[in-house]
Amino acid sequence: MTIPAVVSATDLSLTFHTSDGPVTALSDVTLDIKKGEFVSFIGPSGCGKTTFLRAIADLERPTSGSIEVNGQTPGNARKDRAYGYVFQAAALYPWRTIEKNVALPLEIMGYSKALKAERIARTLALVNLEGFEKKYPWQLSGGMQQRASIARALAFDADLLLMDEPFGALDEIVRDHLNSELLKLWKETQKTICFVTHSIPEAVYLSTKIVVMSPRPGRVTDIIESSLPAERPLDIRETPEFLAIAARVREGLRAGHSYEE
Amino acid sequence: MSQLQHYLAIVAWGLSAAALVMGWVSADALPPAWLFVFLLLGTASLVRIAGWFSLWLDGIIAGAGVVAVLVSLPDLSPVPGYYWLALLAAWAFAWLFVERLTRAMASGLVEPGIFGFLVPLIFGVMVLVIWEAVTRGANVPSVILPPPSAIWARIAGSTSTLWADFQQTFLKAVLIGYALGCGLGFAVAILIDRSPFLKRGLLPLGNFVSALPIIGVAPIMVMWFGFDWPSKAAVVVIMTFFPMLVNTVAGLNAAGAMERDLMRTYAAGYWQTLLKLRLPAAAPFIFNALKINSTLALIGAIVAEFFGTPIVGMGFRISTEVGRMNVDMVWAEIAVAALAGSAFYGVVVLVERATTFWHPSVRSA
């Protein structure tokens, strides 16, 4: 049985034209993401991990090479609402309550009133935000805001979840907590998740596959299939197996750095 | 009591005592009864050095002072020196009272929800009282500055004229011109937003229109739209159009990149993005324009009436009555205009508070 590829990139390159001249954000990236995988992209800033995620989401247009999402162009996949996107900041609309923020994509996609109510209740339960429906975003903590934004991305039940450093601005205690919740959520919903991070423990803890990237030009230096079991308590991070994978990620990051200039 | 309050208490007492002595020594008769009582109370306020002295007692003395300087004014002619000291004393007591009241509210001793209105009220009353006492006591010619009582008498005596002027200028020219100008500015901003071509063409044109001097435009509008209110509304449209245009254009760009990308990931159309993201994000800017325009519109309509009008209207009344030296009528119109303008602005602010409750500037207030 072959698992279908949700995202499939071949020789993907992307160049930004800035006032300082062209910047190669992605160079010849070839990568397959299978259905149900949890893929982390890790690397220093400027390595193109966010750009790759945005290319999947059709927020950036590749310069050359090809990329397919669900067997379609990213543009068509976007119009099919194939993915939910979670940004670095919660980006909740302050004039809407939490409930209305989660309803935003549903309103745009023309869901019926009953279906909207059902989806809101279900996704808010999924991220443990029951009871906060009528609150405004600015009345919640940063961690709760980010959970609400995850609920918003899940509301229309797309199979692919793209997350761009969603917990980057949160403190470590909150982040640990949200990481284990995210794993639980991933198991419950069976979604494919692409997760950008620059934290090695976070990447190793969450992923079934870790893509190590390096900058100038942005490229993939290593792809690690994780051998960790599906059941992952937080203290798995002290096991030798975990540390071995973390060491390999670190090595990949170091190898990608060039100090010639 | 703070240091400022100590000084104020000493100054207020000193002024009362000095006025009392002066009244006693210099005049053939004692000062008028009310003034005498106030000055005695003010001098007696020295008992505060013995300890506790309620801030409400200062308030009562200030109130007695206000009544005293107003009531005793007709009996004093020419006005003696101690009268001015008494006026200063009344003012010092009022200041001391307000100072103590605000401190007490800040520390929670007095409920701000109930007594908060007292502070601006006392300030306004004191300005009027000093104005009244100085203009009448010093016999200021009414052409220079009439006393508030004369202005009030004029307002009360000519309500029908004032109402007709208010209707003509405010209810017709200002409100209609404001609605048209703001609406047009908003609509053109949306058009500009839709097409970069229009942005290059219409924005400079709007800029140009705003640079037109209203003094020059008003007579031309009279030629175009006649003597009645439409020509004034046209001037208001010209004045209010540009602030609305510029603020809306800026506001439509206020939504963050992430929030826009979010809409793109939902494959939302232009109008969906506009209605659900960009217009709500632009609301604080749009309300800024509405607030600026609420005062601009009134100025525009009044000035426009200087250049040809039927024989009714606030601007018409001001320009003709000043020519007839009826300055109290001019002041009456100014008072109506100030009241109407503040009320208009206040209504816009209330709507703004209700609409942009989520904005940090409203949230913290």
Side-chain angles (χ1 to χ4, degrees):
Chain A
M1 178 184 109
T2 53
I3 305 166
V6 175
V7 177
S8 156
T10 317
D11 295 329
L12 190 76
S13 296
L14 198 152
T15 307
F16 290 117
H17 294 280
T18 68
S19 51
D20 294 341
V23 173
T24 309
L26 288 174
S27 160
D28 295 326
V29 173
T30 301
L31 183 71
D32 271 358
I33 296 169
K34 298 258 179 347
K35 188 165 168 39
E37 277 188 313
F38 195 127
V39 183
S40 283
F41 296 84
I42 188 165
S45 44
C47 72
K49 53 194 193 298
T50 294
T51 308
F52 186 70
L53 206 66
R54 290 174 64 84
I56 299 174
D58 189 37
L59 295 174
E60 305 288 353
R61 203 136 292 167
T63 319
S64 67
S66 76
I67 179 164
E68 284 189 346
V69 180
N70 289 339
Q72 296 176 299
T73 63
N76 286 335
R78 177 172 66 84
K79 290 189 184 102
D80 276 356
R81 281 101 183 207
Y83 63 85
Y85 201 105
V86 180
F87 290 88
Q88 287 168 5
L92 299 165
Y93 294 178
W95 50 86
R96 285 172 170 255
T97 58
I98 294 304
E99 173 180 74
K100 290 276 179 201
N101 265 293
V102 177
L104 176 71
L106 306 176
E107 282 172 25
I108 288 167
M109 297 169 194
Y111 279 59
S112 74
K113 204 174 166 196
L115 199 54
K116 256 195 304 204
E118 187 249 307
R119 287 294 176 83
I120 291 167
R122 198 172 73 195
T123 45
L124 281 180
L126 218 50
V127 298
N128 293 327
L129 273 181
E130 301 109 319
F132 293 95
E133 289 87 354
K134 306 286 181 205
K135 292 270 186 218
Y136 284 93
W138 29 274
Q139 294 169 321
L140 303 187
S141 68
M144 289 169 115
Q145 289 182 20
Q146 200 52 277
R147 286 212 298 244
S149 97
I150 293 171
R152 184 179 57 185
L154 292 171
F156 51 102
D157 216 12
D159 285 329
L160 177 59
L161 192 57
L162 306 174
M163 306 179 88
D164 183 7
E165 293 188 42
F167 309 138
L170 306 176
D171 65 68
E172 205 164 332
I173 300 164
V174 176
R175 178 193 276 230
D176 276 353
H177 177 64
L178 289 180
N179 277 342
S180 64
E181 280 191 5
L182 181 61
L183 263 190
K184 217 186 299 161
L185 193 145
W186 170 63
K187 246 170 270 159
E188 276 171 37
T189 57
Q190 307 271 305
K191 292 195 187 304
T192 313
I193 297 183
C194 296
F195 188 95
V196 167
T197 179
H198 49 220
S199 154
I200 297 173
E202 191 173 63
V204 179
Y205 175 69
L206 291 171
S207 318
T208 58
K209 185 194 265 182
I210 302 160
V211 178
V212 183
M213 299 181 77
S214 70
R216 280 178 299 267
R219 63 196 187 279
V220 174
T221 50
D222 197 3
I223 298 177
I224 304 165
E225 301 279 351
S226 175
S227 52
L228 292 178
E231 204 57 53
R232 297 176 187 181
L234 272 173
D235 53 19
I236 201 171
R237 294 179 297 183
E238 271 91 60
T239 62
E241 218 175 350
F242 185 97
L243 295 175
I245 300 173
R248 189 172 153 195
V249 173
R250 200 166 290 120
E251 202 164 298
L253 288 172
R254 203 176 303 131
H257 268 287
S258 53
Y259 294 103
E260 283 104 56
E261 61 238 85
Chain B
M1 288 213 299
S2 72
Q3 200 167 25
L4 174 64
Q5 290 174 12
H6 277 295
Y7 285 136
L8 278 172
I10 293 167
V11 167
W13 169 78
L15 286 166
S16 315
L20 193 64
V21 171
M22 256 178 86
W24 216 305
V25 172
S26 67
D28 342 314
L30 282 177
W34 265 102
L35 206 56
F36 192 63
V37 169
F38 163 60
L39 293 177
L40 278 178
L41 281 175
T43 311
S45 75
L46 193 64
V47 300
R48 82 174 78 229
I49 57 169
W52 182 81
F53 194 79
S54 165
L55 68 97
W56 301 110
L57 286 176
D58 279 323
I60 289 170
I61 298 175
V66 164
V67 174
V69 293
L70 290 182
V71 168
S72 59
L73 197 53
D75 303 335
L76 295 168
S77 177
V79 174
Y82 68 80
Y83 178 82
W84 300 117
L85 288 182
L87 180 64
L88 286 176
W91 171 65
F93 274 113
W95 186 359
L96 178 60
F97 174 56
V98 168
E99 186 70 30
R100 293 185 68 182
L101 188 64
T102 31
R103 288 282 174 132
M105 283 194 291
S107 56
L109 294 173
V110 174
E111 181 55 49
I114 302 170
F115 297 103
F117 74 97
L118 269 178
V119 176
L121 182 76
I122 291 171
F123 181 80
V125 166
M126 278 321 288
V127 168
L128 288 176
V129 166
I130 292 172
W131 179 355
E132 179 81 19
V134 169
T135 46
R136 281 172 59 195
N139 285 322
V140 175
S142 80
V143 177
I144 303 293
L145 186 65
S149 58
I151 297 171
W152 174 249
R154 182 53 103 142
I155 291 175
S158 33
T159 43
S160 61
T161 314
L162 288 170
W163 172 244
D165 291 346
F166 177 76
Q167 253 183 327
Q168 171 78 9
T169 305
F170 194 85
L171 297 185
K172 288 178 187 163
V174 170
L175 286 187
I176 293 171
Y178 179 82
L180 281 176
C182 292
L184 210 63
F186 182 79
V188 172
I190 302 277
L191 278 179
I192 282 179
D193 181 66
R194 286 244 63 181
S195 117
F197 167 72
L198 286 180
K199 189 169 204 152
R200 240 167 276 157
L202 276 182
L203 212 52
L205 186 69
N207 208 330
F208 174 75
V209 168
S210 81
L212 294 176
I214 153 176
I215 307 276
V217 172
I220 294 172
M221 290 300 124
V222 171
M223 307 280 190
W224 286 5
F225 298 106
F227 274 105
D228 214 341
W229 63 266
S231 59
K232 282 76 199 169
V235 171
V236 174
V237 167
I238 290 173
M239 281 189 84
T240 55
F241 171 76
F242 191 66
M244 191 65 182
L245 175 68
V246 173
N247 274 289
T248 309
V249 167
L252 287 174
N253 295 320
M258 224 179 261
E259 284 80 359
R260 282 161 200 257
D261 278 347
L262 184 72
M263 279 301 194
R264 198 172 144 77
T265 68
Y266 299 150
Y270 172 83
W271 292 106
Q272 282 177 323
T273 309
L274 186 72
L275 285 178
K276 295 198 188 294
L277 169 63
R278 298 177 65 212
L279 278 183
F285 289 80
I286 294 171
F287 274 106
N288 259 345
L290 288 175
K291 283 192 285 187
I292 296 167
N293 282 346
S294 71
T295 46
L296 271 186
L298 193 58
I299 298 171
I302 289 177
V303 172
E305 283 182 2
F306 285 26
F307 301 92
T309 172
I311 52 165
V312 64
M314 298 164 87
F316 162 79
R317 197 75 56 205
I318 290 173
S319 64
T320 49
E321 296 298 331
V322 85
R324 296 165 60 190
M325 294 291 212
N326 269 339
V327 184
D328 48 354
M329 190 63 191
V330 175
W331 280 96
E333 291 284 359
I334 289 173
V336 172
L339 223 60
S342 312
F344 193 11
Y345 187 88
V347 168
V348 176
V349 168
L350 284 181
V351 177
E352 178 188 32
R353 288 259 168 98
T355 315
T356 60
F357 62 92
W358 50 270
H359 195 258
S361 66
V362 178
R363 226 153 69 196
S364 56

